[in-house]
Amino acid sequence: MIGMAKDKVTVTIDRDVLAALDAEAAEAGLNRSQYVEAALTREFHRRRLAKVTPPAAPAPEFADPATPEGLRALLDWQRDTAT
């Protein structure tokens, strides 16, 4: 999703939440939009993975879904074990 065409959206968020979000974004070296997009992308994939019935084959031990690489490894593994 990141790197694709983007649309501008407007949301209403509590000021205290935005202040905390901005601090976290700065700490991560991201601007607000990048931080929000990354957070929404992680949440989107987390929810999609939660809906999947795990196959009989064990997940790769190296795959950490908290990282983009680990999430990609899990999605690749899911695709490969489904066929």
Side-chain angles (χ1 to χ4, degrees), residues 6-79:
K6 300 182 185 234
D7 289 327
K8 186 174 182 174
V9 297
T10 301
V11 295
T12 303
I13 300 175
D14 183 271
R15 287 182 181 166
D16 292 338
V17 172
L18 280 178
L21 184 144
D22 287 340
E24 289 284 326
E27 191 175 299
L30 302 172
N31 65 38
R32 181 188 283 172
S33 292
Q34 292 168 324
Y35 188 85
V36 169
E37 181 178 12
L40 289 173
T41 299
R42 282 191 307 272
E43 180 63 12
F44 170 77
H45 288 297
R46 185 192 69 76
R47 287 175 179 256
R48 287 193 73 189
L49 284 172
K51 293 179 182 178
V52 175
T53 303
E61 293 180 21
F62 63 86
D64 177 4
T67 67
E69 297 81 13
L71 184 58
R72 173 54 43 209
L74 282 172
L75 291 171
D76 289 344
W77 164 77
Q78 177 186 357
R79 179 199 62 223

